[in-house]
Amino acid sequence: KASLEAMSAGLKKSTSNGFENSLTTKDQQENINEVRKLIGPLSDKLSLYCSDATISRYLRARNWNVKKATKMLKATLKWRLEYKPENIRWDEIAFEAETGKIYRSSYRDRLGRTVLVMRPSCQNSKSTRAQIKYLVYCMENAILNLPQDQEQMVWLIDFHGFNMSHISVKVTKETAHVLQEHYPERLGVAILYNPPKFFEPFWKVVKPFLEPKTANKVKFVYSDDPNSKKIIEELFDMNQIESAFGGNDNTGFDINKFAERMREDDKRMASFWSRAIDTTAASQPDATTSSSLNATILESDSDASEEKTEKSSSQEDDVEEFPVDDNVPAGISCSKGANDEK
């Protein structure tokens, strides 16, 4: 128990920074309230999405800079309004899941966090759009299954069979963009299990560009290294974890059982957001006004002057081949299709 508490404290410490630690609870709440004020009134699903916990994550992602966090959150609200990630259902993305390239495990880590298993070598799709849609579906599902006392998830990334042919810059960049911009502070720890030797120098190039708190979330684990194996043993009950990660569960991925679980979760997802509409409707404008309100808020450019000033720097960002991601260990979504959709 003492070891688990120490681990929990250490993980929480690693997701903080000096500036955040200098803010009192009152200061943090004032920043949250300021962001909420700048965003303005929202209707239905977007209103529920913008909880204090959500706003806090965006503030943490921008070192508690209210203006930058507001800009980031407004971009996500616009994306959610258009992309509708909460409406994606299993039958729409079932093909993408067949090989078990990404799936939510049936177990949690010792801290109760949702676990996503990823196998980059099991790519079965040539469509970037479909791959991203499935990733978003998995993220929304993982969040739905988080316990109330946890905001972050665990990624177990199995590099068995992975080679250079599985690397796609297009998919990696799009993956990084979606996770970094629309799911900030959702990653607790990423276990890279048996990554190939060629991946290590790539990581050394990327790591200096990451904040220390982000780099600390990425753990390299090798099956032939007793010291690194302790990382998994401290995080998981080894009787529950798959044998592919050194555990004692030999059942493997079963697409039929997974599909059954996801269809049940689809019902839970629909119920959750339906309740969201019901609970916000009484205090919000009518549907016509709400739609107009959302469109006005999300399309308004309150940072026009800032964007103009930052134009040159944003252009530089556009030409970066591997964008630095606050939540994405480089290369974890390196799947490649010969005819990647443009």
Side-chain angles (χ1 to χ4, degrees):
K1 182 178 179 180
S3 176
L4 182 59
E5 290 175 349
M7 184 196 314
S8 178
L11 288 170
K12 288 179 180 179
K13 182 178 180 181
S14 70
T15 61
S16 302
N17 54 51
F19 181 73
E20 181 175 347
N21 290 336
S22 69
L23 292 176
T24 65
T25 301
K26 181 180 179 181
D27 291 333
Q28 293 182 19
Q29 187 61 53
E30 287 178 352
N31 283 4
I32 291 171
N33 295 342
E34 183 63 22
V35 171
R36 192 181 298 283
K37 179 181 177 181
L38 290 173
I39 291 174
L42 295 169
S43 64
D44 301 341
K45 297 176 181 179
L46 298 186
S47 179
L48 183 75
Y49 179 78
C50 287
S51 64
D52 281 7
T54 294
I55 295 175
S56 177
R57 283 193 298 274
Y58 280 79
L59 281 164
R60 293 202 305 271
R62 292 296 179 262
N63 292 319
W64 291 87
N65 183 301
V66 169
K67 187 174 183 180
K68 291 182 178 180
T70 300
K71 182 178 180 180
M72 183 185 188
L73 180 53
K74 287 178 70 175
T76 291
L77 294 177
K78 184 175 188 295
W79 174 76
R80 293 189 72 89
L81 192 64
E82 296 172 349
Y83 200 88
K84 295 179 173 56
E86 75 282 355
N87 289 344
I88 302 173
R89 297 293 178 260
W90 170 255
D91 290 337
E92 300 174 46
I93 46 77
F95 170 78
E96 293 288 325
E98 288 180 352
T99 60
K101 62 184 178 185
I102 306 177
Y103 62 91
R104 178 175 62 80
S105 70
S106 58
Y107 55 85
R108 301 174 184 270
D109 77 342
R110 295 187 190 273
L111 299 178
R113 295 175 296 187
T114 305
V115 178
L116 281 184
V117 176
M118 302 180 177
R119 292 191 165 94
S121 65
C122 293
Q123 182 55 250
N124 63 332
S125 171
K126 296 179 180 181
S127 169
T128 299
R129 184 179 303 159
Q131 291 177 48
I132 296 301
K133 187 174 185 179
Y134 181 53
L135 173 70
V136 169
Y137 175 83
C138 289
M139 290 296 294
E140 294 288 316
N141 180 270
I143 293 168
L144 177 71
N145 283 278
L146 282 171
Q148 290 187 350
D149 62 340
Q150 293 289 352
E151 292 185 304
Q152 298 182 325
M153 64 190 72
V154 177
W155 293 351
L156 276 176
I157 307 166
D158 180 9
F159 278 90
H160 177 75
F162 182 81
N163 56 53
M164 292 293 289
S165 69
H166 295 117
I167 295 178
S168 169
V169 174
K170 179 179 176 62
V171 175
T172 299
K173 289 179 69 175
E174 184 64 19
T175 297
H177 172 75
V178 170
L179 294 177
Q180 175 177 272
E181 299 302 324
H182 304 314
Y183 296 96
E185 298 294 322
R186 282 299 191 183
L187 176 63
V189 59
I191 303 294
L192 277 60
Y193 195 79
N194 285 335
K197 293 299 181 182
F198 71 79
F199 191 81
E200 293 182 12
F202 179 70
W203 170 250
K204 289 180 180 179
V205 172
V206 173
K207 186 176 179 180
F209 295 95
L210 300 176
E211 293 183 11
K213 67 170 184 177
T214 302
N216 288 336
K217 295 179 181 179
V218 181
K219 308 296 182 183
F220 284 72
V221 175
Y222 298 92
S223 57
D224 59 356
D225 181 357
N227 290 326
S228 66
K229 284 176 66 177
K230 290 180 180 178
I231 296 173
I232 284 189
E233 292 170 352
E234 290 178 354
L235 279 173
F236 296 98
D237 178 346
M238 299 306 288
N239 288 322
Q240 296 181 340
I241 199 171
E242 296 102 320
S243 56
F245 297 102
N248 300 322
D249 182 1
N250 296 310
T251 56
F253 175 73
D254 186 323
I255 182 60
N256 294 320
K257 290 182 179 179
F258 183 61
E260 184 178 347
R261 289 167 53 208
M262 294 303 100
R263 287 195 174 97
E264 287 301 314
D265 278 357
D266 281 356
K267 296 176 184 177
R268 291 175 55 217
M269 183 75 73
S271 176
F272 174 82
W273 289 106
S274 293
R275 288 197 303 271
I277 294 175
D278 292 340
T279 56
T280 57
S283 59
Q284 294 294 345
D286 60 54
T288 303
T289 306
S290 296
S291 299
S292 176
L293 178 65
N294 283 336
T296 301
I297 291 173
L298 300 182
E299 290 176 6
S300 65
D301 188 2
S302 60
D303 299 301
S305 59
E306 180 184 20
E307 290 181 358
K308 183 176 181 180
T309 302
E310 296 177 348
K311 184 176 181 181
S312 59
S313 61
S314 65
Q315 288 175 333
E316 293 176 3
D317 290 340
D318 289 339
V319 299
E320 285 186 354
E321 188 170 4
F322 290 96
V324 177
D325 185 0
D326 182 52
N327 280 312
V328 187
I332 62 93
S333 183
C334 311
S335 50
K336 180 179 181 180
N339 299 306
D340 273 359
E341 191 173 278
K342 296 182 179 179

